[in-house]
Amino acid sequence: MAGGGGGEGASIEYTPTWVVALVCTVIVAISLLAERLLHYAGKFLIKKNQGALFEALQKIKEELMLLGFISLLLTVFQSRITKICIAKHLTDDWLPCSKSDKSKGDDKSIDHFQSSFFIFGRRLLAAAEAPAGQGYCEKQDKAPLLSLDAIHDLHIFIFVLAVVHVLFSALTILFGTLKIRQWKQWEDSIQKKQQDPKEAQQRTVTHVQEHGFIKRRFKGIGKDLALLSWVRSFFKQIYGSVNKLDYETLRRGFIVTHYRDNPNFNFYKYMMRALETDFKRVVGIRWYLWIFVVLFLLLNVKGWHAYFWIAFIPLILLLIVGAKLEHIIAQLAEEVGQRHTAITGDLVVRPSDDHFWFHKPRLVLVLIHIILFQNSFEIAVFFWMLFIFKFDSCIMGEVGYVIPRLVIGVLVQLLCSYSTLPLYAIVAQMGSSFNKAIFEDHIQVKLTGWAEKAKKNTAQRKAVNGSSQVGHKESLSNVQPPAVGDESRMEEGRALEIESAATSNEPK
């Protein structure tokens, strides 16, 4: 590189300064534009009192920072990675493409290099370091652990994966929210009905078996056989999950269980705040998801069609989760239908963690997170291969395996947005505890500060009591620790109780 000539192999020593300045200007401008967009998006969310969505935006920034750090590591250590040599026979197995396809693939990729932005950037980056490690392993009759081109392909793949995951998660929440917003008119009609004095004074006897919710969820197929109940729930998630009667009954069960003193509680707003709070968890890429990435990359061996079979995982998981959520509603109806024949007043279900897997309602959110990530992985791999290697490359695979992968990906996205996510939004509130989103954002901040202050006061009081006992053992009866007012003690106790209740349903 030190003596570099012209063309793509020239180092910065022999590159015109106007080229260096122009490239730096473009890169800095794009970076500043992205940073300003995120900044103003955050200010807009704060202005609209969307604290949960603002936290989700902060999570996206964290993911971008992680990507930047990964990019930095790949850039700094790429020359050293290419100088890690292994025996040549170790590179003959576990290949996405057979070596017999290499010459044919190289001929096809030359033309694609000229038109692909990603490849052009990759070659520019690769050219900066290629001479430094050129022939290092070949001189030892070995092969490099990872070539420079492969490092930059991996670099681009990680970037595409993160962008597609964030984008698809946002689209899922957006489309799901549009579906859920249709329930707002149900909430408004219920509120209007409850504010009617005639309706409030009217006391009716409800025949449980004749109630529409029981008829739809409990009577008929699946009443006696658990297997048939699961089958019915499986198909119900597809053709009709939640109607107004379901919403009204589940809403009433939540309010009677957790908010009995306020029958006019706006359940719709609470549910939307809870969904926004969950979104910040879904949009991130947790450590175990990176394990999936490594495992999937390992299994991408020619002839295995691993990505084709992996595409079925999010679809199967999504159908199982949707069936489970529908089955929980059926169980709530079954409990009431078996316990009562007729009741005074409206039908009330009893939310409980016992209906969820391992008594953990938040486990459903973890599964939805995995589903969205795996689906994003499939779509990201397709676009990465399309832009880097073209559609007819050997790594892309046969068309008969590629098209079904895309169809399954679109199907998972639509089903999750318009069925599973709305189902989760309402059924997740049918646990034994309520979400901290039951409080407005500004109230959450005040309660958290109140609880933290109470904890500090409690710790200080214990410290004072302990020092008094140690320093005055002989005259303990004559010395009293600093007094703390009864009102202060009651406030601390209430603050701790509220914080415990508000966070009891948060993921561990």
Side-chain angles (χ1 to χ4, degrees):
M1 182 178 352
E8 292 179 349
S11 70
I12 198 170
E13 297 172 293
Y14 302 97
T15 302
T17 55
W18 68 268
V19 174
V20 177
L22 177 62
V23 172
C24 287
T25 300
V26 173
I27 293 176
V28 171
I30 294 174
S31 301
L32 289 177
L33 178 62
E35 190 275 334
R36 286 291 90 187
L37 287 175
L38 292 175
H39 174 74
Y40 286 116
K43 291 181 65 175
F44 175 78
L45 293 175
I46 293 176
K47 183 179 179 180
K48 296 295 183 179
N49 295 321
Q50 298 291 333
L53 292 181
F54 176 76
E55 292 182 13
L57 181 64
Q58 296 301 110
K59 190 68 177 179
I60 293 176
K61 289 183 179 181
E62 292 178 9
E63 298 300 332
L64 293 176
M65 183 179 297
L66 176 61
L67 284 173
F69 187 71
I70 293 175
S71 300
L72 178 63
L73 289 179
L74 288 172
T75 302
V76 171
F77 293 105
Q78 61 184 5
S79 60
R80 297 187 179 183
I81 294 175
T82 56
K83 291 182 179 180
I84 300 176
C85 304
I86 59 176
K88 287 187 176 181
H89 68 87
L90 295 177
T91 64
D92 295 333
D93 300 318
W94 293 74
L95 297 174
C97 294
S98 62
K99 291 189 175 182
S100 60
D101 299 331
K102 184 176 181 181
S103 58
K104 179 173 63 176
D106 289 343
D107 294 338
K108 290 184 178 181
S109 63
I110 290 176
D111 295 334
H112 191 56
F113 277 155
Q114 308 304 321
S115 60
S116 173
F117 170 79
F118 294 102
I119 296 300
F120 180 68
R122 183 186 69 180
R123 293 194 66 185
L124 287 178
L125 290 172
E129 294 289 342
Q134 185 176 7
Y136 180 83
C137 292
E138 285 76 2
K139 294 178 182 179
Q140 305 178 37
D141 195 26
K142 294 183 178 180
L145 179 65
L146 199 64
S147 69
L148 207 56
D149 279 348
I151 290 176
H152 289 295
D153 288 342
L154 183 61
H155 191 165
I156 295 172
F157 167 72
I158 293 174
F159 173 78
V160 173
L161 173 61
V163 170
V164 171
H165 173 63
V166 172
L167 179 62
F168 272 54
S169 297
L171 289 177
T172 301
I173 296 296
L174 175 62
F175 294 147
T177 302
L178 292 177
K179 174 71 174 179
I180 297 172
R181 287 189 185 279
Q182 300 176 8
W183 302 351
K184 187 177 186 300
Q185 57 184 349
W186 299 345
E187 179 71 30
D188 294 339
S189 65
I190 295 172
Q191 295 272 355
K192 184 178 180 180
K193 181 179 178 181
Q194 290 178 338
Q195 293 173 2
D196 188 352
K198 296 181 180 180
E199 293 288 345
Q201 296 176 359
Q202 187 177 3
R203 302 289 291 179
T204 59
V205 176
T206 300
H207 297 279
V208 175
Q209 302 300 327
E210 299 299 324
H211 194 276
F213 177 75
I214 300 298
K215 284 184 176 181
R216 185 169 186 262
R217 295 289 179 175
F218 178 54
K219 275 193 172 183
I221 299 176
K223 180 177 179 181
D224 300 317
L225 298 177
L227 180 60
L228 291 180
S229 178
W230 274 98
V231 172
R232 187 169 183 263
S233 299
F234 177 84
F235 288 103
K236 184 170 282 293
Q237 67 173 311
I238 300 174
Y239 67 85
S241 53
V242 178
N243 62 11
K244 182 179 179 180
L245 191 57
D246 295 332
Y247 176 85
E248 185 176 359
T249 305
L250 297 179
R251 172 189 181 275
R252 187 183 306 114
F254 175 87
I255 293 177
V256 170
T257 303
H258 301 299
Y259 223 71
R260 184 183 294 269
D261 295 335
N262 185 11
N264 294 324
F265 174 73
N266 196 315
F267 179 72
Y268 172 80
K269 287 186 177 180
Y270 158 72
M271 184 177 59
M272 292 298 295
R273 287 198 302 269
L275 185 62
E276 292 171 357
T277 301
D278 292 338
F279 174 61
K280 68 182 180 182
R281 180 177 176 87
V282 171
V283 77
I285 302 180
R286 310 283 291 185
W287 61 269
Y288 51 82
L289 297 179
W290 287 110
I291 294 179
F292 291 153
V293 172
V294 175
L295 181 61
F296 296 158
L297 292 176
L298 175 66
L299 298 177
N300 185 28
V301 179
K302 182 177 177 61
W304 289 15
H305 306 293
Y307 289 151
F308 172 76
W309 301 112
I310 289 172
F312 288 94
I313 296 178
L315 178 60
I316 294 172
L317 284 178
L318 186 66
L319 293 175
I320 292 175
V321 169
K324 176 61 178 178
L325 294 174
E326 285 285 351
H327 191 250
I328 290 174
I329 301 178
Q331 287 179 302
L332 293 172
E334 182 180 352
E335 284 185 350
V336 179
Q338 290 181 341
R339 189 182 302 114
H340 303 288
T341 302
I343 57 175
T344 302
D346 295 319
L347 185 74
V348 178
V349 297
R350 297 178 58 184
S352 174
D353 288 347
D354 295 337
H355 300 308
F356 294 86
W357 285 313
F358 304 105
H359 310 287
K360 294 183 180 296
R362 310 299 290 186
L363 182 59
V364 178
L365 180 63
V366 175
L367 292 176
I368 292 178
H369 190 190
I370 294 174
I371 290 168
L372 291 178
F373 180 80
Q374 287 187 323
N375 195 54
S376 300
F377 176 84
E378 278 289 327
I379 302 299
V381 166
F382 170 77
F383 283 112
W384 173 65
M385 291 179 177
L386 180 64
F387 286 122
I388 299 296
F389 306 103
K390 295 176 59 176
F391 186 80
D392 58 348
S393 63
C394 65
I395 195 172
M396 178 69 78
E398 301 174 12
V399 177
Y401 290 98
V402 176
I403 300 301
R405 284 168 49 193
L406 294 177
V407 173
I408 291 174
V410 173
L411 180 62
V412 169
Q413 189 70 25
L414 294 177
L415 184 60
C416 187
S417 299
Y418 290 103
S419 178
T420 308
L421 189 65
L423 258 178
Y424 166 79
I426 189 169
V427 177
Q429 316 312 325
M430 295 299 105
S432 302
S433 304
F434 55 82
N435 194 295
K436 70 177 183 179
I438 198 171
F439 303 111
E440 298 282 353
D441 290 340
H442 66 281
I443 297 178
Q444 292 182 33
V445 173
K446 291 181 180 179
L447 288 176
T448 301
W450 187 20
E452 290 178 354
K453 184 178 180 180
K455 287 181 179 180
K456 290 180 180 179
N457 291 339
T458 302
Q460 291 175 358
R461 185 170 65 250
K462 289 181 179 180
V464 171
N465 290 340
S467 61
S468 300
Q469 293 176 2
V470 173
H472 304 278
K473 288 183 179 180
E474 296 180 356
S475 56
L476 185 61
S477 59
N478 298 324
V479 179
Q480 298 295 332
V484 179
D486 292 339
E487 183 179 351
S488 176
R489 294 174 185 268
M490 292 175 63
E491 289 182 355
E492 294 168 7
R494 287 198 299 267
L496 293 174
E497 286 181 7
I498 292 175
E499 184 191 39
S500 175
T503 58
S504 59
N505 203 27
E506 289 299 291
K508 305 298 181 186

